[in-house]
Amino acid sequence: LGTFMKGQLTRDAFISFMSPEKRGKTFWLIDMAFTALSQDRNVVFFEVGDMSRGQILRRFSQRFTKRPVKAGTIKIPKMLHKAGDSVEVEYQEKTFAEDLTFDEVRTNLVRLQERLSNKFKLSCHPSNSISAKGLESKLNELIRTGWVPDVVILDYADLLAPNRSGLESRDAINETWKTLRSISQQYHLLLVTATQSDAQSYQSNTLGMQNFSEDKRKLAHCTGMIGINQTPMEKMQQVQRLNWIVLREDEFQEGLS
C-alpha cells in the first residue's frame, strides 16, 4: 500500500477516494485517520451526514480494538497469491465469543483519548448542514486555540452544503471542491475525502476518469483520485483493488490496479 501511494500523502495534497455507494469509502477514510494518528499527527475527522456520532465512534472503536461488532468467527486475509488473472487468498480465522458492547466501546474510547493525548478531533454534522467554508471556519477555531491540524479527513465531500445559495448544482459542486483544495494549500495540510462514482461504475471492474459523478471538475481540483474496485468474487474474498484515476505529482497508468 505504501508503494502504491508513492509518497502522495503529504502536506498541501488533496486526495479523494471514488467508488459506488457501500463500497468501503468510510473504511478507507478511518484507516487514513488511524495511520496518521499512529505517526503522531494532529487529525480532524469531519463526519457529514453519512453516520451519526455514535455510529462513527463505533467504527473507530472497531478499528482501534481490531475486533468486529458481532460475535462469531471471522476470516482475516493474510496473503494474496496471483493465479493467472485471478487471486487466491490465504486466511487466518479468529473467533470472538461476545459482541462488542457499548461499555467496551466507551472504555476503549477513554483509553484511546489518553493514548492520543489530544491528537484527534471528531466533528459530526447532519447532511447538508455545513459547507466547505463552514469546515474552514471550524479549522480556524481550532487553530486559534493553538491546536494546528496536520491531516483533515472528510466523510464525505458529496454531503456538504453549497458555499452559497443561487448557484446551479454543478457550479456549487465545483466551488465546494475548489474550497477544499484551497484548505489543503492555505493551511499546509493533507486533506482526504471521498466521492460517489456514476451509475456505469456498477458494471466496471476498474474505475476510470469517465466514472465521475455530477461534475468532472472534481478530478481537476484534487491532487490524486483513488478508485476503490471490487468484483462480486473479490467481495466474497474480502479483497479490494485500488487504482489511481488521476495523479498530479507522479506518473500513473489509468486502469491499472
Side-chain angles (χ1 to χ4, degrees):
L1 184 60
T3 302
F4 169 81
M5 292 298 180
K6 299 180 182 177
Q8 299 301 317
L9 304 179
T10 63
R11 294 187 185 276
D12 303 322
F14 175 26
I15 303 294
S16 178
F17 290 92
M18 184 170 80
S19 78
E21 63 269 21
K22 306 298 182 286
R23 183 60 64 82
K25 293 186 289 293
T26 299
F27 168 88
W28 282 102
L29 293 175
I30 289 175
D31 200 65
M32 287 280 179
F34 179 87
T35 302
L37 289 168
S38 70
Q39 296 174 0
D40 203 33
R41 307 298 183 188
N42 287 347
V43 178
V44 185
F45 195 102
F46 288 105
E47 178 60 37
V48 181
D50 204 34
M51 283 184 281
S52 68
R53 185 177 183 85
Q55 288 171 325
I56 194 66
L57 284 174
R58 187 172 69 172
R59 290 280 195 99
F60 270 104
S61 186
Q62 284 180 259
R63 181 63 181 86
F64 280 92
T65 57
K66 300 179 180 179
R67 60 153 299 172
V69 171
K70 296 295 184 181
T73 299
I74 61 171
K75 293 165 59 177
I76 304 170
K78 301 294 290 184
M79 186 72 68
L80 301 179
H81 302 283
K82 188 76 171 176
D85 293 331
S86 62
V87 170
E88 294 180 356
V89 186
E90 184 179 324
Y91 299 95
Q92 175 185 340
E93 291 191 350
K94 192 169 184 179
T95 300
F96 296 87
E98 298 179 351
D99 291 350
L100 181 63
T101 65
F102 179 77
D103 286 341
E104 191 175 354
V105 170
R106 183 169 52 191
T107 300
N108 288 326
L109 290 175
V110 170
R111 291 174 181 170
L112 176 61
Q113 189 174 23
E114 293 173 351
R115 196 178 106 197
L116 296 179
S117 184
N118 201 34
K119 289 287 182 183
F120 181 63
K121 305 290 184 183
L122 177 63
S123 184
C124 298
H125 308 270
S127 180
N128 209 42
S129 66
I130 190 169
S131 66
K133 286 291 187 183
L135 297 188
E136 186 174 6
S137 296
K138 294 287 185 183
L139 292 177
N140 279 320
E141 290 175 12
L142 289 172
I143 291 170
R144 281 195 293 269
T145 67
W147 194 91
V148 180
D150 299 307
V151 179
V152 171
I153 310 288
L154 168 59
D155 185 23
Y156 55 94
D158 294 349
L159 297 179
L160 290 172
N163 282 340
R164 52 196 174 99
S165 60
L167 289 177
E168 190 267 337
S169 176
R170 289 177 64 255
D171 290 334
I173 292 167
N174 182 52
E175 188 169 285
T176 290
W177 283 70
K178 286 168 66 176
T179 301
L180 295 176
R181 174 57 177 145
S182 175
I183 289 172
S184 71
Q185 295 171 304
Q186 183 177 347
Y187 297 94
H188 192 46
L189 51 79
L190 168 64
L191 196 156
V192 186
T193 189
T195 183
Q196 298 272 23
S197 55
D198 67 349
Q200 295 298 320
S201 65
Y202 300 139
Q203 307 300 323
S204 300
N205 285 339
T206 303
L207 300 179
M209 294 179 67
Q210 74 279 3
N211 292 122
F212 69 89
S213 61
E214 299 174 298
D215 191 343
K216 74 180 185 65
R217 288 172 289 184
K218 293 176 182 179
L219 302 176
H221 296 309
C222 60
T223 58
M225 181 76 76
I226 302 171
I228 304 173
N229 306 284
Q230 190 175 56
T231 64
M233 176 59 71
E234 288 167 341
K235 185 172 184 179
M236 291 177 59
Q237 294 177 313
Q238 304 179 71
V239 172
Q240 290 183 330
R241 289 173 290 109
L242 303 183
N243 70 302
W244 286 110
I245 296 172
V246 295
L247 182 59
R248 180 173 298 169
E249 301 297 334
D250 208 338
E251 294 183 1
F252 74 102
Q253 183 176 344
E254 183 189 354
L256 183 64
S257 57

